[in-house]
Amino acid sequence: MYALFDEAGKLLTGRILSESDAALQVELESGKRVKVKVALVLLRFAQPEPSALLQAAEALRAQIELELAWEFAPEAEFGFAELAAVYFQDPPTPAQQVGALLRLSEAPHYFRRAGKGRYKKAPADVLQLALAAIEKKRQIQAQTEAWAAELAAGQCPPAVAQQIYKILFRPDKNAPEYKAVVHAARSSHTAPLLLLQRAGAIRNAYEFHWQRFLFDQFPKGTGFAALPPLSPLTEALPLATVQAFSIDDSSTTEIDDALSLQGLGSAEVTLGIHIAAPGLAIAPGSPLDQVARQRLSTVYMPGHKITMLPDAVVQAYTLDAGGARPALSLYLRLDAETLELRGSETRIEQVPIAHNLRHDQLDQALSVDWLQNPAAAPGAPLPEAIAALRPQLAFLYRLALHCKARREAVRGKPETFTRPDYTFALQDAPPEGPTGEERVQIGTRSRGAPLDLMVAEAMILANSTWGQWLADCGVPAIYRSQASLAPGIKVRMGARALPHAGIGVACYAWSSSPLRRYTDLVNQWQLIACVRHGKAAALAAPFKPRDTDLLAVIGAFDAAYTAYAQFQNGMERYWTLRYLQQNSVGELNASVIKDGLVRADTLPLVLNAAGSAGLARGTPVRVRLGDIDLIGLEVSASVIEQLARTAPSGAEAAEAESDEEDEAALAPALALAVDLDDDAESATLPPSDSAPDVAEVAAPNEAAQ
């Protein structure tokens, strides 16, 4: 006599050796003897042999039509033998009973289990829903397999192409598009990114980086939704009695700041620092504010940018020459001889803008000698209107040098500008943005050039002066601070007026770029409250002391600004690599930064170079370039020659103290979220009505052991 019993969800068979009221002693086919509770025994049979029984049962299982079995099954709870009696014959054979048991156990959508060998048929409405779900799964599985076959054959289905960035970086691992990519990558033994490239889903490397950034930061696109028209100012602003001028690059359209001077030739000179005032028209919480708060900053990249504010707002408040513009003006009264500060005042007014000076057009002409020596000629011909600004520019340069020296005394060491700023110009780039195939020109602009220094020091004056004024008024603001210049101490953002050791000021609140940075717009609202309400400003300002919303702005801005900066660095690295390709550059002079890392001497490029390990920092080397990967933004290189080393200057020696900028210049690792090591079940769907393998029933003894 044999027994079929359920052991932890598995069907086992064996010969009955002995029996009591509560249990059986059963010998399995392997020879192992086990004790089985009577309640677990589903069927006793004398013949045929277990293996023959299960073989016959498997054949009968396949013959049972589930729809017919469900139709004729008892309405009340029933056992598998009862269904066999209805479907086959009464009484049913052991093989028919086991066949019915196998079919019932594999069809939970038709029959739900009610106990050991006991079932109850599903209600008709529940069954229809279950069958519809099974059919949907079957169709999805078929679609997934079809898409995977297309990908493996080098063609990308449109549904997959529309989601490649989601698939690669933030996937839904249950989505058929993701499963198709995983299945195709496995079957073709191809990395997912390469698979999609070969299938044409990624048109070129530039498009890959651009669309990945948009997916991450601008999923709804870069356009602006329809907004109410910009309302005119409700207050009549006084007209300033100055003629201001701005200093920017030619590509700058969001002109935030301008400068003016009054009283030259007298004992006291008044410096005017004029900042565009969109805060007068954008109300906190308004639709425009919500747009700015969502974007938080203008995004810059070679040949293109995504502005924080709509063009209509920018055009209304940018400090273009030729008229008077609303501005928040800081007037600093200075001793003409010693340049010491005698007093300050902040006003809301209309400021006439006389000139928009451009770095790239004037840097060569406005030399240090021309600014400091009245008899010196400019380095290049100058328009008469610009040459007439010589007294103002000369005073601003003298003031900038004075302010810089004063800050360096606080810092405890001088600021160093040993490397130039690099500029990128793309030829014939379309207005909607580059395609990645444009020819690129890389130029340089020396850090600390006279015009650059004038603007930088004036903005530091404004941001530090206004930051202290806000603190004195008890009005919260957004500050940048750095506790010290010790290694590892980074610049942080917060709502407290703390020292900024890197700049050398007592506090520093970004306030000079409200058209481009949301933090500056927030601080401008707070400053406007101070101008209008004086000592009561803390009660009238949009953000109150210990305002959690202000902290939320700080956190969101910090994250977005970091992401935007990383993208800009990546795009500049992309165009540098394209420059190497376009100009067939095979070798470069470079300097060792640390083991394995070098910096190109004439390009904005930091790269890993074999053979540089063990060389001291600053060692000049010649490197040979290898393969360029525009997707990974990498280029292979090896040191082929160690060049003669010149004695480092004090500035170069000071530069060696910091590695943070060097590390940031490397391409970040490209981390994909596609996991080919997932369980195979996550990549394909098994047929929902497939039967369990006969081996699981006929030979389960090894598992039981």
Side-chain angles (χ1 to χ4, degrees):
M1 183 65 71
Y2 302 101
L4 174 73
F5 59 94
D6 186 312
E7 178 67 30
K10 292 185 178 181
L11 297 179
L12 304 179
T13 59
R15 184 185 300 275
I16 300 174
L17 299 178
S18 62
E19 181 177 358
S20 66
D21 292 340
L24 285 71
Q25 185 77 11
V26 178
E27 182 181 46
L28 302 178
E29 193 173 9
S30 64
K32 180 181 179 181
R33 297 183 178 185
V34 296
K35 184 178 180 181
V36 180
K37 293 181 179 180
V38 172
L40 299 179
V41 176
L42 299 174
L43 178 66
R44 299 169 189 248
F45 59 98
Q47 59 180 357
E49 293 286 332
S51 59
L53 171 71
L54 293 169
Q55 185 175 1
E58 175 61 25
L60 290 168
R61 177 203 66 80
Q63 297 175 14
I64 297 176
E65 296 182 17
L66 287 172
E67 295 85 351
L68 188 61
W70 181 87
E71 183 71 28
F72 288 100
E75 293 295 332
E77 182 184 308
F78 62 90
F80 63 91
E82 295 175 64
L83 179 66
V86 173
Y87 195 90
F88 292 109
Q89 63 185 30
D90 190 8
T93 66
Q96 290 170 342
Q97 293 183 55
V98 177
L101 175 63
L102 293 176
R103 194 61 163 154
L104 286 165
S105 66
E106 71 183 9
H109 45 297
Y110 280 93
F111 306 98
R112 64 177 180 83
R113 180 172 292 187
K116 295 293 183 182
R118 306 290 296 174
Y119 296 88
K120 186 172 177 59
K121 69 178 187 179
D125 55 343
V126 175
L127 175 61
Q128 292 306 313
L129 290 174
L131 291 175
I134 290 171
E135 179 59 25
K136 183 178 180 181
K137 285 184 179 180
R138 186 180 288 111
Q139 292 175 0
I140 291 175
Q141 173 62 16
Q143 182 66 82
T144 300
E145 292 175 352
W147 285 341
E150 287 185 62
L151 287 166
Q155 296 180 341
C156 186
V160 175
Q162 291 171 4
Q163 295 194 32
I164 59 170
Y165 300 98
K166 181 178 180 180
I167 291 168
L168 291 173
F169 300 107
R170 219 161 39 234
D172 172 4
K173 294 190 176 182
N174 291 317
E177 295 84 359
Y178 173 82
K179 292 181 179 180
V181 171
V182 171
H183 184 65
R186 282 176 173 164
S187 62
S188 63
H189 305 287
T190 307
L193 190 57
L194 182 58
L195 175 81
L196 291 169
Q197 284 181 270
R198 290 177 176 175
I202 300 172
R203 290 185 294 177
N204 59 38
Y206 184 88
E207 183 76 4
F208 172 79
H209 295 295
W210 173 237
Q211 293 298 332
R212 179 191 174 189
F213 174 73
L214 294 183
F215 169 77
D216 190 42
Q217 299 293 332
F218 291 86
K220 296 181 181 180
T222 60
F224 291 96
L227 293 167
L230 194 63
S231 301
L233 295 180
T234 57
E235 59 182 312
L237 302 180
L239 183 66
T241 58
V242 299
Q243 292 294 308
F245 54 88
S246 66
I247 302 174
D248 295 279
D249 289 320
S250 293
S251 60
T252 301
T253 56
E254 302 154 287
I255 303 176
D256 288 288
D257 55 85
L259 304 173
S260 68
L261 285 171
Q262 301 175 79
L264 285 176
S266 66
E268 183 177 277
V269 176
T270 300
L271 167 65
I273 303 174
H274 312 283
I275 306 301
L280 295 172
I282 302 174
S286 66
L288 264 177
D289 172 36
Q290 293 171 16
V291 167
R293 184 162 180 171
Q294 184 179 22
R295 299 196 173 199
L296 292 164
S297 172
T298 292
V299 184
Y300 295 95
M301 68 209 82
H304 195 47
K305 65 180 176 181
I306 305 171
T307 60
M308 181 181 77
L309 294 170
D311 188 61
V313 180
V314 172
Q315 293 306 313
Y317 284 88
T318 186
L319 302 184
D320 272 339
R325 298 285 182 157
L328 187 66
S329 298
L330 172 64
Y331 290 99
L332 300 170
R333 294 183 292 107
L334 306 168
D335 184 291
E337 188 65 30
T338 66
L339 300 181
E340 291 304 310
L341 180 64
R342 291 182 176 178
S344 64
E345 181 185 4
T346 301
R347 302 175 192 164
I348 302 171
E349 58 188 2
Q350 294 271 1
V351 175
I353 308 298
H355 306 284
N356 293 139
L357 309 186
R358 304 296 184 176
H359 284 289
D360 48 319
Q361 299 173 6
L362 298 174
D363 272 348
Q364 291 184 349
L366 303 186
S367 64
V368 172
D369 188 36
W370 184 78
L371 291 168
Q372 293 182 327
N373 182 2
L382 278 174
E384 183 177 345
I386 306 303
L389 294 175
R390 185 173 191 172
Q392 290 96 318
L393 295 173
F395 182 88
L396 286 172
Y397 185 61
R398 181 165 74 93
L399 176 63
L401 292 176
H402 172 80
C403 292
K404 182 174 183 292
R406 186 173 55 193
R407 290 189 303 101
E408 288 176 341
V410 177
R411 290 180 86 246
K413 60 180 180 180
E415 293 177 327
T416 57
F417 302 109
T418 59
R419 295 194 301 270
D421 285 328
Y422 290 93
T423 60
F424 295 80
L426 307 184
Q427 295 181 3
D428 302 321
E432 61 272 16
T435 65
E437 300 303 319
E438 292 81 2
R439 191 161 188 87
V440 59
Q441 295 178 335
I442 300 178
T444 61
R445 182 163 64 88
S446 297
R447 296 186 183 185
L451 286 177
D452 182 71
L453 190 64
M454 293 177 202
V455 175
E457 293 299 331
M459 295 310 108
I460 291 173
L461 265 177
N463 291 331
S464 58
T465 302
W466 273 336
Q468 189 61 57
W469 187 42
L470 287 165
D472 293 342
C473 291
V475 174
I478 299 175
Y479 293 88
R480 292 175 66 81
S481 63
Q482 186 177 18
S484 76
L485 292 179
I489 304 299
K490 298 182 178 181
V491 176
R492 300 191 179 279
M493 298 186 69
R496 297 176 59 194
L498 298 174
H500 194 308
I503 298 179
V505 294
C507 64
Y508 190 78
W510 260 350
S511 310
S512 53
S513 296
L515 292 172
R516 296 183 279 182
R517 288 191 302 247
Y518 189 69
T519 51
D520 301 52
L521 180 60
V522 167
N523 284 342
Q524 185 170 93
W525 285 328
Q526 304 296 84
L527 286 166
I528 290 172
C530 290
V531 175
R532 289 174 171 170
H533 301 282
K535 294 182 179 180
L539 300 176
F543 296 91
K544 306 299 188 289
R546 295 183 293 277
D547 194 327
T548 56
D549 199 29
L550 187 64
L551 299 179
V553 169
I554 292 171
F557 178 86
D558 208 14
Y561 202 67
T562 299
Y564 296 172
Q566 288 176 346
F567 174 67
Q568 180 179 353
N569 290 340
M571 287 297 90
E572 290 180 354
R573 188 175 180 89
Y574 169 87
W575 286 111
T576 302
L577 297 180
R578 288 288 290 138
Y579 177 88
L580 297 178
Q581 291 178 331
Q582 292 170 0
N583 293 278
S584 301
V585 178
E587 295 182 1
L588 286 172
N589 286 350
S591 299
V592 174
I593 297 173
K594 62 180 182 179
D595 284 356
L597 205 62
V598 302
R599 181 192 298 278
D601 289 348
T602 58
L603 289 173
L605 183 63
V606 172
L607 64 159
N608 292 292
S612 63
L615 298 178
R617 180 172 180 131
T619 301
V621 293
R622 184 79 174 168
V623 298
R624 177 173 292 128
L625 304 179
D627 295 334
I628 293 176
D629 175 10
L630 292 176
I631 292 287
L633 299 178
E634 291 289 354
V635 55
S636 61
S638 58
V639 175
I640 58 175
E641 182 183 0
Q642 182 174 340
L643 305 177
R645 182 167 186 168
T646 58
S649 67
E652 290 170 336
E655 180 191 11
E657 297 176 7
S658 174
D659 291 329
E660 288 184 12
E661 188 176 346
D662 301 330
E663 297 293 344
L666 282 172
L670 188 61
L672 303 182
V674 180
D675 187 0
L676 300 184
D677 294 329
D678 281 344
D679 182 8
E681 294 297 326
S682 68
T684 57
L685 294 169
S688 59
D689 60 345
S690 60
D693 194 331
V694 174
E696 293 182 7
V697 178
N701 306 308
E702 293 182 8
Q705 295 177 25

